[in-house]
């Protein structure tokens, strides 16, 4: 059978029954993949072209060079959105990473009810970001949420008004995002912990290493590939975050919690500045590429090293 397949792959040879049988599989994989790639590339190129035109309500021809980019980067909205992105991205990635790792370590102790707890921790992944933002906006609303509940219990001096506090509102997005995404980090870390060779752990214990030292010197170093993957995926979410912020704070109070995706939405659909909105979208794409391209290069190097090992 191997000879028949190899012979059929030569130029001028007819397709084998095996290739004919697998044709539906190839079509199911490659046709949607090629259509999605064509859609992504064509609309990305169209957005890049629009960003260099004076388009407002509708696309128009013309050339304005980098005027849209300089206008966007000089605007107060974009500067606040970029500062918020740095704060939100750093806090969200680090805290979700730590939370997911701690939960994974706790579940790795083979505790009772592990399956139930794992399902509970993974449940937020099944909830859309719009629902997450809406529910957390209720919980954090001083008039109907946690603050009112505590006041009704008699503690009238308690204050938890982060949602309407310009300095603290960005942290409400961090809290909601961690609740939503920590289960993803936990699942990857737990899979990594379960794949560590038990003989290595036993050898460390025989050498006198305690639990903390075993995790620090033996187990955690083996999780670096998973850690990098989690960081990249979480950063991708942080850069493109829109629906969670839109449902939770809508960029407020004022523009205190603006993020780049909200700036794009505001320019394109509320101010009818299509050219500047496209420029902001391209800037978001560049930020994403700054994260994804090094990761892709690292994965390529890893595969090459594994191949030649």
């Amino acid at each position: 059978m191997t000879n028949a397949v190899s012979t059929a792959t030569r130029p001028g040879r007819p397709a084998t029954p095996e290739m004919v049988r697998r044709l539906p599989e190839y079509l199911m994989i490659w046709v949607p993949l090629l259509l999605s790639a064509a859609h992504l590339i064509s609309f990305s190129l169209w957005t890049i072209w629009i960003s260099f035109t004076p388009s407002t309500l509708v696309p128009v021809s013309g050339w304005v060079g980098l005027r849209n980019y300089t206008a966007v980067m000089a605007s107060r909205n974009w500067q606040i959105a970029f500062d918020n992105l740095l704060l939100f991205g750093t806090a969200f990635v680090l805290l979700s990473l730590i939370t997911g790792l701690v939960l994974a370590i706790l579940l790795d102790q083979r505790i009772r009810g592990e399956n139930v707890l794992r399902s509970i921790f993974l449940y937020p992944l099944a909830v859309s970001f719009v629902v997450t933002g809406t529910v957390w906006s209720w919980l954090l609303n001083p008039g109907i949420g946690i603050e009112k509940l505590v006041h009704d219990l008699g503690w009238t001096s308690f204050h938890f008004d982060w949602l309407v506090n310009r300095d603290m509102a960005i942290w409400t997005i961090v809290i909601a995002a961690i609740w939503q995404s920590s289960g993803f980090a936990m699942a990857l870390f737990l899979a990594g912990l379960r794949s560590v060779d038990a003989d290595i752990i036993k050898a460390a214990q025989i050498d006198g290493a305690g639990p903390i030292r075993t995790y620090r010197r033996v187990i955690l170093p083996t999780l670096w590939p998973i850690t990098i993957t989690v960081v990249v995926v979480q950063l991708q979410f942080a850069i493109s975050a829109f629906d969670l912020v839109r449902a939770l704070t809508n960029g407020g109070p004022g523009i205190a919690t603006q993020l780049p995706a909200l700036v794009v939405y505001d320019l394109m659909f509320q101010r009818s500045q299509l050219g500047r909105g496209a420029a902001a979208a391209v800037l978001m794409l560049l930020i994403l590429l700054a994260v994804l391209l090094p990761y892709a290069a690292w994965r390529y190097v890893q595969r090459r090293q594994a191949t030649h090992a």
Side-chain angles (χ1 to χ4, degrees):
M1 185 64 185
T2 303
N3 293 335
V5 173
S6 61
T7 303
T9 57
R10 297 174 186 172
R13 297 290 182 179
T16 64
E18 176 68 16
M19 295 178 62
V20 174
R21 184 183 66 81
R22 299 191 62 181
L23 182 60
E25 299 178 15
Y26 296 139
L27 292 177
M28 290 180 62
I29 294 174
W30 285 103
V31 171
L33 183 62
L34 292 175
L35 289 176
S36 298
H39 177 272
L40 177 64
I41 293 173
S42 61
F43 277 97
S44 296
L45 294 176
W46 184 82
T47 302
I48 293 173
W49 173 74
I50 289 294
S51 69
F52 292 104
T53 67
S55 302
T56 52
L57 184 61
V58 295
V60 296
S61 59
W63 183 262
V64 296
L66 297 176
R67 191 174 71 188
N68 289 326
Y69 291 90
T70 56
V72 168
M73 289 188 290
S75 66
R76 184 167 175 263
N77 280 15
W78 179 262
Q79 294 171 1
I80 291 176
F82 188 76
D83 292 341
N84 286 338
L85 176 61
L86 293 178
L87 175 60
F88 169 66
T90 303
F92 162 64
V93 171
L94 289 179
L95 294 177
S96 64
L97 201 69
I98 294 172
T99 304
L101 180 59
V102 171
L103 293 176
I105 292 175
L106 293 176
L107 289 178
D108 192 44
Q109 308 308 309
R110 310 290 181 176
I111 60 177
R112 284 187 176 182
E114 176 188 335
N115 293 334
V116 176
L117 291 175
R118 186 168 61 240
S119 300
I120 292 174
F121 296 146
L122 286 173
Y123 173 75
L125 287 175
V127 181
S128 70
F129 288 111
V130 173
V131 174
T132 297
T134 302
V135 172
W136 278 97
S137 68
W138 295 340
L139 292 174
L140 300 176
N141 190 314
I144 61 175
I146 297 174
E147 182 174 317
K148 185 178 185 303
L149 174 63
V150 176
H151 286 179
D152 293 341
L153 294 176
W155 190 2
T156 57
S157 61
F158 175 80
H159 291 287
F160 190 60
D161 58 349
W162 287 11
L163 193 63
V164 295
N165 187 321
R166 296 180 63 89
D167 297 326
M168 301 300 296
I170 189 66
W171 292 100
T172 64
I173 303 175
V174 174
I175 293 172
I178 291 173
W179 180 86
Q180 178 88 17
S181 303
S182 292
F184 167 77
M186 179 212 68
L188 293 186
F189 280 129
L190 184 59
L193 290 173
R194 296 284 168 86
S195 66
V196 176
D197 191 350
D199 293 336
I200 299 177
I201 299 176
K202 290 180 180 179
Q205 293 172 346
I206 293 174
D207 291 339
I212 296 178
R213 189 175 181 183
T214 301
Y215 272 99
R216 186 166 57 91
R217 294 295 184 88
V218 178
I219 298 177
L220 294 183
T222 64
L223 299 180
W224 273 114
I226 295 176
T227 303
I228 294 175
T229 301
V230 173
V231 168
V232 170
V233 172
Q234 303 290 54
L235 278 177
Q236 181 182 358
F237 161 73
I239 294 170
S240 59
F242 172 77
D243 38 8
L244 176 63
V245 185
R246 177 77 173 171
L248 180 54
T249 65
N250 197 22
I255 56 173
T257 57
Q258 285 272 37
L259 287 176
L262 269 74
V263 175
V264 174
Y265 175 82
D266 177 63
L267 290 172
M268 282 190 170
F269 301 106
Q270 294 184 322
R271 303 192 184 189
S272 299
Q273 296 179 351
L274 193 59
R276 293 189 181 184
V282 173
L283 291 175
M284 278 187 59
L285 176 62
L286 294 177
I287 297 173
L288 276 172
L289 291 177
V291 174
L292 296 179
L293 290 181
Y295 175 71
W298 175 77
R299 291 287 296 175
Y300 175 76
V301 172
Q302 291 290 106
R303 286 195 297 266
R304 290 290 300 270
Q305 291 177 348
T307 302
H308 294 293

